[in-house]
Amino acid sequence: MSDNIKIERDGFVGIITINRPEKLNSMTPEMASALVEAVTGFNTDDAIRCVILTGAGDKAFSAGSDIRVLDDYDTPWNFRNRPDYCDAIRALLKPSIAAVNGYAFGGGLETAMACDIRIAADTASFAAPEIKLGWIGGGGMAVNLAHAVGPSNAALMIMTGDPIDALQAERWGLVSRVVPQSSLLDEARKIALAIAARAPIAAETAKLNLRAAWDKSTADAITYERDLQTICFATDDAREGRAAFKEKRFPTFKRR
């Protein structure tokens, strides 16, 4: 595990901190590999029901790839096949929350968009600045940004490379909430604990269902949703939920 990727467990909540504040939490291949390791650990840990991703310090969530190491790739093909930190976050099976504490630029924006829920500090800002350096994003920038803020707003961000502040991001739907920076992690934990209190298998299938809704036709998405519902309905947790409702008590879910 890289020293630049910090892992914590707080009850049912896992926390991943991109820990390179002196470089605006910019990412290296070593850090991408460490993220894969962190995600693998959380995915196989039944005690973890929600994961928070944030950045160390008060300036940056992540400024994306460390541009100084990009010339280390000897061919464009090796650059194409490099370990991708956005793919690592997308591989999370558990619900995820990006707590954006500062700059979310380039790959940092893509990393935040790889999470299911995004909340932002009032000091945060968001940008797709790759065009200013001669390229475009490659970690899901266009598809995720267009879904989040609409095609026109996505085009504005991607084609100018200019940043938007947290309040604009909230108005456009890129983030769900904007809170004072001092309250950011507390707010993220509050949401994570609410998710962790729900039936874990249902939460994980809800994540699958939301992703499938992007890719499938309406008819196929509804069929898939009904199949996932049936799987959840057959779990012990669903039986516990129904029993708790009848007995007028809080359910105790065990991810079974």
PDB file of all heavy atoms in Angstrom, residues 92-123:
ATOM      1  N   LEU A  92     -15.532  -0.414  -7.016  1.00  0.00           N
ATOM      2  CA  LEU A  92     -16.132  -0.567  -5.691  1.00  0.00           C
ATOM      3  C   LEU A  92     -17.525  -1.183  -5.808  1.00  0.00           C
ATOM      4  O   LEU A  92     -18.369  -0.682  -6.557  1.00  0.00           O
ATOM      5  CB  LEU A  92     -16.237   0.786  -4.990  1.00  0.00           C
ATOM      6  CG  LEU A  92     -15.088   1.216  -4.090  1.00  0.00           C
ATOM      7  CD1 LEU A  92     -15.249   2.680  -3.689  1.00  0.00           C
ATOM      8  CD2 LEU A  92     -15.014   0.336  -2.837  1.00  0.00           C
ATOM      9  N   LEU A  93     -17.770  -2.238  -5.069  1.00  0.00           N
ATOM     10  CA  LEU A  93     -19.100  -2.840  -5.024  1.00  0.00           C
ATOM     11  C   LEU A  93     -19.990  -2.141  -4.008  1.00  0.00           C
ATOM     12  O   LEU A  93     -21.221  -2.177  -4.135  1.00  0.00           O
ATOM     13  CB  LEU A  93     -18.979  -4.328  -4.659  1.00  0.00           C
ATOM     14  CG  LEU A  93     -18.140  -5.194  -5.597  1.00  0.00           C
ATOM     15  CD1 LEU A  93     -18.067  -6.616  -5.059  1.00  0.00           C
ATOM     16  CD2 LEU A  93     -18.685  -5.178  -7.014  1.00  0.00           C
ATOM     17  N   LYS A  94     -19.380  -1.533  -2.998  1.00  0.00           N
ATOM     18  CA  LYS A  94     -20.141  -0.874  -1.945  1.00  0.00           C
ATOM     19  C   LYS A  94     -20.517   0.547  -2.394  1.00  0.00           C
ATOM     20  O   LYS A  94     -19.812   1.162  -3.204  1.00  0.00           O
ATOM     21  CB  LYS A  94     -19.311  -0.801  -0.659  1.00  0.00           C
ATOM     22  CG  LYS A  94     -18.569  -2.091  -0.282  1.00  0.00           C
ATOM     23  CD  LYS A  94     -19.518  -3.225   0.052  1.00  0.00           C
ATOM     24  CE  LYS A  94     -18.798  -4.537   0.303  1.00  0.00           C
ATOM     25  NZ  LYS A  94     -18.102  -4.609   1.588  1.00  0.00           N
ATOM     26  N   PRO A  95     -21.615   1.093  -1.902  1.00  0.00           N
ATOM     27  CA  PRO A  95     -21.932   2.503  -2.189  1.00  0.00           C
ATOM     28  C   PRO A  95     -20.771   3.413  -1.792  1.00  0.00           C
ATOM     29  O   PRO A  95     -20.082   3.158  -0.798  1.00  0.00           O
ATOM     30  CB  PRO A  95     -23.167   2.760  -1.324  1.00  0.00           C
ATOM     31  CG  PRO A  95     -23.789   1.420  -1.147  1.00  0.00           C
ATOM     32  CD  PRO A  95     -22.642   0.455  -1.073  1.00  0.00           C
ATOM     33  N   SER A  96     -20.571   4.465  -2.575  1.00  0.00           N
ATOM     34  CA  SER A  96     -19.415   5.335  -2.346  1.00  0.00           C
ATOM     35  C   SER A  96     -19.824   6.802  -2.349  1.00  0.00           C
ATOM     36  O   SER A  96     -20.737   7.204  -3.074  1.00  0.00           O
ATOM     37  CB  SER A  96     -18.333   5.094  -3.404  1.00  0.00           C
ATOM     38  OG  SER A  96     -18.865   5.288  -4.710  1.00  0.00           O
ATOM     39  N   ILE A  97     -19.110   7.580  -1.548  1.00  0.00           N
ATOM     40  CA  ILE A  97     -19.365   9.011  -1.412  1.00  0.00           C
ATOM     41  C   ILE A  97     -18.053   9.754  -1.626  1.00  0.00           C
ATOM     42  O   ILE A  97     -17.050   9.473  -0.951  1.00  0.00           O
ATOM     43  CB  ILE A  97     -19.910   9.349  -0.011  1.00  0.00           C
ATOM     44  CG1 ILE A  97     -21.199   8.589   0.274  1.00  0.00           C
ATOM     45  CG2 ILE A  97     -20.124  10.850   0.139  1.00  0.00           C
ATOM     46  CD1 ILE A  97     -21.623   8.620   1.729  1.00  0.00           C
ATOM     47  N   ALA A  98     -18.037  10.690  -2.564  1.00  0.00           N
ATOM     48  CA  ALA A  98     -16.886  11.576  -2.729  1.00  0.00           C
ATOM     49  C   ALA A  98     -17.104  12.810  -1.867  1.00  0.00           C
ATOM     50  O   ALA A  98     -18.097  13.517  -2.041  1.00  0.00           O
ATOM     51  CB  ALA A  98     -16.713  11.971  -4.192  1.00  0.00           C
ATOM     52  N   ALA A  99     -16.196  13.036  -0.933  1.00  0.00           N
ATOM     53  CA  ALA A  99     -16.221  14.247  -0.107  1.00  0.00           C
ATOM     54  C   ALA A  99     -15.164  15.185  -0.688  1.00  0.00           C
ATOM     55  O   ALA A  99     -13.973  15.065  -0.382  1.00  0.00           O
ATOM     56  CB  ALA A  99     -15.933  13.916   1.354  1.00  0.00           C
ATOM     57  N   VAL A 100     -15.608  16.103  -1.543  1.00  0.00           N
ATOM     58  CA  VAL A 100     -14.687  16.918  -2.350  1.00  0.00           C
ATOM     59  C   VAL A 100     -14.296  18.153  -1.548  1.00  0.00           C
ATOM     60  O   VAL A 100     -15.090  19.073  -1.363  1.00  0.00           O
ATOM     61  CB  VAL A 100     -15.335  17.304  -3.691  1.00  0.00           C
ATOM     62  CG1 VAL A 100     -14.353  18.102  -4.537  1.00  0.00           C
ATOM     63  CG2 VAL A 100     -15.802  16.052  -4.435  1.00  0.00           C
ATOM     64  N   ASN A 101     -13.057  18.174  -1.105  1.00  0.00           N
ATOM     65  CA  ASN A 101     -12.591  19.190  -0.159  1.00  0.00           C
ATOM     66  C   ASN A 101     -11.832  20.336  -0.811  1.00  0.00           C
ATOM     67  O   ASN A 101     -11.426  21.272  -0.119  1.00  0.00           O
ATOM     68  CB  ASN A 101     -11.691  18.538   0.898  1.00  0.00           C
ATOM     69  CG  ASN A 101     -10.554  17.748   0.277  1.00  0.00           C
ATOM     70  OD1 ASN A 101     -10.803  16.849  -0.517  1.00  0.00           O
ATOM     71  ND2 ASN A 101      -9.323  18.073   0.628  1.00  0.00           N
ATOM     72  N   GLY A 102     -11.646  20.303  -2.121  1.00  0.00           N
ATOM     73  CA  GLY A 102     -10.894  21.363  -2.789  1.00  0.00           C
ATOM     74  C   GLY A 102     -10.935  21.151  -4.290  1.00  0.00           C
ATOM     75  O   GLY A 102     -11.971  20.767  -4.850  1.00  0.00           O
ATOM     76  N   TYR A 103      -9.794  21.373  -4.962  1.00  0.00           N
ATOM     77  CA  TYR A 103      -9.751  21.185  -6.410  1.00  0.00           C
ATOM     78  C   TYR A 103     -10.104  19.744  -6.780  1.00  0.00           C
ATOM     79  O   TYR A 103      -9.505  18.795  -6.269  1.00  0.00           O
ATOM     80  CB  TYR A 103      -8.355  21.474  -6.965  1.00  0.00           C
ATOM     81  CG  TYR A 103      -7.826  22.857  -6.710  1.00  0.00           C
ATOM     82  CD1 TYR A 103      -6.576  23.046  -6.108  1.00  0.00           C
ATOM     83  CD2 TYR A 103      -8.536  23.992  -7.089  1.00  0.00           C
ATOM     84  CE1 TYR A 103      -6.067  24.309  -5.876  1.00  0.00           C
ATOM     85  CE2 TYR A 103      -8.041  25.262  -6.863  1.00  0.00           C
ATOM     86  CZ  TYR A 103      -6.800  25.413  -6.251  1.00  0.00           C
ATOM     87  OH  TYR A 103      -6.299  26.661  -6.020  1.00  0.00           O
ATOM     88  N   ALA A 104     -11.054  19.591  -7.700  1.00  0.00           N
ATOM     89  CA  ALA A 104     -11.319  18.305  -8.353  1.00  0.00           C
ATOM     90  C   ALA A 104     -11.138  18.563  -9.839  1.00  0.00           C
ATOM     91  O   ALA A 104     -12.092  18.901 -10.547  1.00  0.00           O
ATOM     92  CB  ALA A 104     -12.713  17.792  -8.029  1.00  0.00           C
ATOM     93  N   PHE A 105      -9.915  18.458 -10.290  1.00  0.00           N
ATOM     94  CA  PHE A 105      -9.548  18.842 -11.646  1.00  0.00           C
ATOM     95  C   PHE A 105      -9.119  17.609 -12.432  1.00  0.00           C
ATOM     96  O   PHE A 105      -8.437  16.720 -11.908  1.00  0.00           O
ATOM     97  CB  PHE A 105      -8.400  19.849 -11.642  1.00  0.00           C
ATOM     98  CG  PHE A 105      -8.806  21.269 -11.292  1.00  0.00           C
ATOM     99  CD1 PHE A 105     -10.058  21.559 -10.785  1.00  0.00           C
ATOM    100  CD2 PHE A 105      -7.908  22.315 -11.466  1.00  0.00           C
ATOM    101  CE1 PHE A 105     -10.429  22.854 -10.462  1.00  0.00           C
ATOM    102  CE2 PHE A 105      -8.263  23.634 -11.148  1.00  0.00           C
ATOM    103  CZ  PHE A 105      -9.530  23.897 -10.647  1.00  0.00           C
ATOM    104  N   GLY A 106      -9.489  17.569 -13.716  1.00  0.00           N
ATOM    105  CA  GLY A 106      -9.031  16.489 -14.586  1.00  0.00           C
ATOM    106  C   GLY A 106      -9.441  15.133 -14.040  1.00  0.00           C
ATOM    107  O   GLY A 106     -10.607  14.861 -13.772  1.00  0.00           O
ATOM    108  N   GLY A 107      -8.439  14.279 -13.854  1.00  0.00           N
ATOM    109  CA  GLY A 107      -8.702  12.965 -13.296  1.00  0.00           C
ATOM    110  C   GLY A 107      -9.293  13.019 -11.904  1.00  0.00           C
ATOM    111  O   GLY A 107      -9.966  12.067 -11.478  1.00  0.00           O
ATOM    112  N   GLY A 108      -9.073  14.107 -11.193  1.00  0.00           N
ATOM    113  CA  GLY A 108      -9.711  14.264  -9.887  1.00  0.00           C
ATOM    114  C   GLY A 108     -11.212  14.416 -10.012  1.00  0.00           C
ATOM    115  O   GLY A 108     -11.983  13.871  -9.207  1.00  0.00           O
ATOM    116  N   LEU A 109     -11.670  15.153 -11.032  1.00  0.00           N
ATOM    117  CA  LEU A 109     -13.097  15.260 -11.306  1.00  0.00           C
ATOM    118  C   LEU A 109     -13.650  13.908 -11.737  1.00  0.00           C
ATOM    119  O   LEU A 109     -14.726  13.484 -11.294  1.00  0.00           O
ATOM    120  CB  LEU A 109     -13.340  16.309 -12.389  1.00  0.00           C
ATOM    121  CG  LEU A 109     -14.766  16.444 -12.926  1.00  0.00           C
ATOM    122  CD1 LEU A 109     -15.778  16.692 -11.813  1.00  0.00           C
ATOM    123  CD2 LEU A 109     -14.836  17.559 -13.971  1.00  0.00           C
ATOM    124  N   GLU A 110     -12.914  13.207 -12.581  1.00  0.00           N
ATOM    125  CA  GLU A 110     -13.354  11.885 -13.012  1.00  0.00           C
ATOM    126  C   GLU A 110     -13.442  10.919 -11.828  1.00  0.00           C
ATOM    127  O   GLU A 110     -14.352  10.093 -11.758  1.00  0.00           O
ATOM    128  CB  GLU A 110     -12.389  11.336 -14.068  1.00  0.00           C
ATOM    129  CG  GLU A 110     -12.447  12.102 -15.388  1.00  0.00           C
ATOM    130  CD  GLU A 110     -11.346  11.721 -16.346  1.00  0.00           C
ATOM    131  OE1 GLU A 110     -10.217  11.425 -15.891  1.00  0.00           O
ATOM    132  OE2 GLU A 110     -11.603  11.733 -17.560  1.00  0.00           O
ATOM    133  N   THR A 111     -12.505  11.029 -10.898  1.00  0.00           N
ATOM    134  CA  THR A 111     -12.523  10.173  -9.708  1.00  0.00           C
ATOM    135  C   THR A 111     -13.754  10.464  -8.861  1.00  0.00           C
ATOM    136  O   THR A 111     -14.428   9.543  -8.382  1.00  0.00           O
ATOM    137  CB  THR A 111     -11.247  10.387  -8.879  1.00  0.00           C
ATOM    138  OG1 THR A 111     -10.100  10.083  -9.682  1.00  0.00           O
ATOM    139  CG2 THR A 111     -11.228   9.499  -7.649  1.00  0.00           C
ATOM    140  N   ALA A 112     -14.057  11.742  -8.669  1.00  0.00           N
ATOM    141  CA  ALA A 112     -15.258  12.104  -7.909  1.00  0.00           C
ATOM    142  C   ALA A 112     -16.506  11.580  -8.597  1.00  0.00           C
ATOM    143  O   ALA A 112     -17.432  11.081  -7.940  1.00  0.00           O
ATOM    144  CB  ALA A 112     -15.337  13.618  -7.740  1.00  0.00           C
ATOM    145  N   MET A 113     -16.547  11.665  -9.930  1.00  0.00           N
ATOM    146  CA  MET A 113     -17.720  11.199 -10.663  1.00  0.00           C
ATOM    147  C   MET A 113     -17.820   9.680 -10.685  1.00  0.00           C
ATOM    148  O   MET A 113     -18.887   9.137 -10.970  1.00  0.00           O
ATOM    149  CB  MET A 113     -17.716  11.760 -12.086  1.00  0.00           C
ATOM    150  CG  MET A 113     -17.954  13.262 -12.151  1.00  0.00           C
ATOM    151  SD  MET A 113     -18.285  13.882 -13.829  1.00  0.00           S
ATOM    152  CE  MET A 113     -16.730  13.523 -14.656  1.00  0.00           C
ATOM    153  N   ALA A 114     -16.726   8.984 -10.376  1.00  0.00           N
ATOM    154  CA  ALA A 114     -16.778   7.529 -10.277  1.00  0.00           C
ATOM    155  C   ALA A 114     -17.489   7.083  -9.010  1.00  0.00           C
ATOM    156  O   ALA A 114     -17.875   5.911  -8.899  1.00  0.00           O
ATOM    157  CB  ALA A 114     -15.364   6.950 -10.321  1.00  0.00           C
ATOM    158  N   CYS A 115     -17.670   7.997  -8.055  1.00  0.00           N
ATOM    159  CA  CYS A 115     -18.408   7.695  -6.834  1.00  0.00           C
ATOM    160  C   CYS A 115     -19.904   7.860  -7.068  1.00  0.00           C
ATOM    161  O   CYS A 115     -20.334   8.573  -7.977  1.00  0.00           O
ATOM    162  CB  CYS A 115     -17.949   8.615  -5.702  1.00  0.00           C
ATOM    163  SG  CYS A 115     -16.238   8.340  -5.170  1.00  0.00           S
ATOM    164  N   ASP A 116     -20.693   7.222  -6.231  1.00  0.00           N
ATOM    165  CA  ASP A 116     -22.144   7.257  -6.402  1.00  0.00           C
ATOM    166  C   ASP A 116     -22.759   8.587  -5.980  1.00  0.00           C
ATOM    167  O   ASP A 116     -23.717   9.064  -6.582  1.00  0.00           O
ATOM    168  CB  ASP A 116     -22.785   6.133  -5.583  1.00  0.00           C
ATOM    169  CG  ASP A 116     -22.250   4.773  -5.979  1.00  0.00           C
ATOM    170  OD1 ASP A 116     -22.341   4.438  -7.177  1.00  0.00           O
ATOM    171  OD2 ASP A 116     -21.738   4.052  -5.110  1.00  0.00           O
ATOM    172  N   ILE A 117     -22.214   9.167  -4.917  1.00  0.00           N
ATOM    173  CA  ILE A 117     -22.741  10.420  -4.347  1.00  0.00           C
ATOM    174  C   ILE A 117     -21.576  11.374  -4.193  1.00  0.00           C
ATOM    175  O   ILE A 117     -20.474  10.976  -3.800  1.00  0.00           O
ATOM    176  CB  ILE A 117     -23.404  10.163  -2.981  1.00  0.00           C
ATOM    177  CG1 ILE A 117     -24.600   9.220  -3.136  1.00  0.00           C
ATOM    178  CG2 ILE A 117     -23.832  11.468  -2.312  1.00  0.00           C
ATOM    179  CD1 ILE A 117     -25.128   8.673  -1.818  1.00  0.00           C
ATOM    180  N   ARG A 118     -21.821  12.651  -4.499  1.00  0.00           N
ATOM    181  CA  ARG A 118     -20.777  13.668  -4.334  1.00  0.00           C
ATOM    182  C   ARG A 118     -21.305  14.800  -3.461  1.00  0.00           C
ATOM    183  O   ARG A 118     -22.386  15.342  -3.728  1.00  0.00           O
ATOM    184  CB  ARG A 118     -20.344  14.218  -5.699  1.00  0.00           C
ATOM    185  CG  ARG A 118     -19.583  13.217  -6.532  1.00  0.00           C
ATOM    186  CD  ARG A 118     -19.375  13.692  -7.961  1.00  0.00           C
ATOM    187  NE  ARG A 118     -20.638  13.813  -8.706  1.00  0.00           N
ATOM    188  CZ  ARG A 118     -21.297  12.787  -9.236  1.00  0.00           C
ATOM    189  NH1 ARG A 118     -20.832  11.556  -9.096  1.00  0.00           N
ATOM    190  NH2 ARG A 118     -22.424  12.983  -9.903  1.00  0.00           N
ATOM    191  N   ILE A 119     -20.551  15.136  -2.436  1.00  0.00           N
ATOM    192  CA  ILE A 119     -20.815  16.346  -1.676  1.00  0.00           C
ATOM    193  C   ILE A 119     -19.539  17.176  -1.698  1.00  0.00           C
ATOM    194  O   ILE A 119     -18.439  16.640  -1.876  1.00  0.00           O
ATOM    195  CB  ILE A 119     -21.273  16.055  -0.235  1.00  0.00           C
ATOM    196  CG1 ILE A 119     -20.182  15.329   0.561  1.00  0.00           C
ATOM    197  CG2 ILE A 119     -22.559  15.247  -0.236  1.00  0.00           C
ATOM    198  CD1 ILE A 119     -20.526  15.194   2.034  1.00  0.00           C
ATOM    199  N   ALA A 120     -19.674  18.482  -1.535  1.00  0.00           N
ATOM    200  CA  ALA A 120     -18.529  19.365  -1.725  1.00  0.00           C
ATOM    201  C   ALA A 120     -18.421  20.380  -0.598  1.00  0.00           C
ATOM    202  O   ALA A 120     -19.436  20.853  -0.071  1.00  0.00           O
ATOM    203  CB  ALA A 120     -18.630  20.104  -3.057  1.00  0.00           C
ATOM    204  N   ALA A 121     -17.194  20.695  -0.258  1.00  0.00           N
ATOM    205  CA  ALA A 121     -16.946  21.838   0.602  1.00  0.00           C
ATOM    206  C   ALA A 121     -17.227  23.115  -0.179  1.00  0.00           C
ATOM    207  O   ALA A 121     -17.152  23.141  -1.411  1.00  0.00           O
ATOM    208  CB  ALA A 121     -15.497  21.833   1.082  1.00  0.00           C
ATOM    209  N   ASP A 122     -17.563  24.182   0.539  1.00  0.00           N
ATOM    210  CA  ASP A 122     -17.852  25.444  -0.143  1.00  0.00           C
ATOM    211  C   ASP A 122     -16.622  26.041  -0.814  1.00  0.00           C
ATOM    212  O   ASP A 122     -16.733  26.975  -1.611  1.00  0.00           O
ATOM    213  CB  ASP A 122     -18.495  26.448   0.813  1.00  0.00           C
ATOM    214  CG  ASP A 122     -17.706  26.637   2.102  1.00  0.00           C
ATOM    215  OD1 ASP A 122     -16.557  26.125   2.216  1.00  0.00           O
ATOM    216  OD2 ASP A 122     -18.235  27.300   3.015  1.00  0.00           O
ATOM    217  N   THR A 123     -15.456  25.488  -0.530  1.00  0.00           N
ATOM    218  CA  THR A 123     -14.209  25.938  -1.160  1.00  0.00           C
ATOM    219  C   THR A 123     -13.827  25.092  -2.374  1.00  0.00           C
ATOM    220  O   THR A 123     -12.800  25.365  -3.011  1.00  0.00           O
ATOM    221  CB  THR A 123     -13.072  25.872  -0.143  1.00  0.00           C
ATOM    222  OG1 THR A 123     -12.992  24.538   0.389  1.00  0.00           O
ATOM    223  CG2 THR A 123     -13.294  26.841   1.006  1.00  0.00           C
TER     224      THR A 123
END
